[in-house]
Amino acid sequence: MKRDLQYPEECPSLAEPPPAPRLTPEPKGEVEDAELKCGSAPVWIFGYGSLVWRPGFEFTSRKVGFIRGYSRRFWQGDTFHRGSEKMPGRVVTLLEDCGACTWGVAYEVRGEQIPASLQYLNMREAVLGGYDTKLVKFHPQEKDAEEPIQALVYIATPQNPSYLGPASEEDIAAQIIVSSGCAGHNIEYLLRLADFMRFFCPQAEDKHLFSIEEALISILPCLCFTEESLEETASNPQKSKG
């Protein structure tokens, strides 16, 4: 089951982002290593979740492509961006998977963009999101691309307190429907990611992602019907006695 909708210009947007805010926490782990070793060389940052449409930092260039050996899964809880402490949302992380690949966007940052982007992402992904960093080989989508690019990626592991782990597509969709946070509703997160894959990587398969999207779309009409029925009963209680 596919959504019949017009592709909104801003979703997912690959337009130039606004300047990154200045944050004080210092990057750590492989983020710090990337910054210290970069010198005049660029640093590439691979995004596979909300970073594909909302990087939030300045960059020099971007490429659509994939990394091997990982599957994308809605197994990470979110109590800030797309959920709350009482009602955590579901966002994606990466699971090691030898035969798989995950599509997304790699951003090239240079010069002063490097420390600004890493500080911003350390807050957004590590401090608030519970993600760790790792270096991976990114393969650009372009046919004339030569060698893969070494890129930094943020991955949430089972060791972080927000990790939720596996669940059925129906249960994940049901959790997404009722969750929202500072960055918006969890439904928006799922649909923007599905739209990115559909419009920028039409040749790629992501059964997990699209199965959750399909489950969510099948639940929504039932939810809307229930709400309408409740509103009608509240406005006309005599009708419910008939």
Side-chain angles (χ1 to χ4, degrees):
M1 181 177 180
K2 293 184 179 180
R3 288 183 291 131
D4 183 17
L5 49 76
Q6 293 284 330
Y7 172 57
E9 294 180 1
E10 74 281 6
C11 174
S13 174
L14 289 184
E16 296 297 331
R22 294 183 179 276
L23 300 172
T24 53
E26 293 298 324
K28 56 185 179 179
E30 295 190 42
V31 171
E32 186 176 73
D33 293 340
E35 183 176 358
L36 291 174
K37 295 176 182 177
C38 67
S40 59
V43 171
W44 288 83
I45 299 165
F46 177 69
Y48 57 93
S50 60
L51 288 180
V52 302
W53 72 83
R54 188 175 62 87
F57 55 85
E58 292 183 340
F59 54 85
T60 300
S61 66
R62 62 197 162 224
K63 295 178 183 290
V64 175
F66 62 90
I67 61 173
R68 298 188 188 277
Y70 292 92
S71 294
R72 176 169 36 217
R73 292 289 183 269
F74 274 83
W75 288 4
Q76 174 67 359
D78 188 329
T79 59
F80 183 81
H81 299 289
R82 300 289 177 173
S84 64
E85 292 288 345
K86 292 184 178 180
M87 201 168 287
R90 284 257 183 180
V91 292
V92 291
T93 184
L94 295 179
L95 177 70
E96 289 191 17
D97 186 347
C98 290
C101 68
T102 296
W103 285 78
V105 178
Y107 298 93
E108 178 191 16
V109 291
R110 291 178 174 269
E112 294 181 356
Q113 294 174 343
I114 297 173
S117 63
L118 295 183
Q119 286 180 17
Y120 169 70
L121 290 171
N122 181 56
M123 175 59 76
R124 171 174 164 175
E125 303 296 329
V127 176
L128 297 177
Y131 291 74
D132 295 326
T133 57
K134 190 169 184 176
L135 291 172
V136 293
K137 289 183 178 179
F138 170 75
H139 301 264
Q141 187 180 46
E142 301 136 5
K143 294 181 180 179
D144 58 349
E146 297 178 357
E147 297 295 325
I149 299 167
Q150 188 158 310
L152 193 70
V153 67
Y154 290 80
I155 300 174
T157 66
Q159 287 68 46
N160 84 82
S162 296
Y163 195 79
L164 296 177
S168 69
E169 282 80 4
E170 291 76 17
D171 286 345
I172 293 175
Q175 186 171 350
I176 288 173
I177 284 176
V178 297
S179 301
S180 62
C182 295
H185 205 287
N186 208 176
I187 293 176
E188 177 196 27
Y189 179 97
L190 168 66
L191 298 185
R192 281 180 181 263
L193 187 54
D195 282 347
F196 165 79
M197 288 296 297
R198 189 169 288 117
F199 290 99
F200 289 97
C201 323
Q203 76 283 12
E205 292 185 5
D206 195 324
K207 184 178 179 181
H208 178 75
L209 171 63
F210 290 122
S211 294
I212 295 171
E213 181 194 33
E214 186 172 339
L216 182 140
I217 292 169
S218 67
I219 294 171
L220 278 177
C222 300
L223 185 65
C224 293
F225 178 78
T226 301
E227 290 178 349
E228 288 174 359
S229 299
L230 289 172
E231 289 176 0
E232 186 177 353
T233 301
S235 62
N236 189 5
Q238 294 298 324
K239 187 174 181 180
S240 62
K241 297 179 182 179

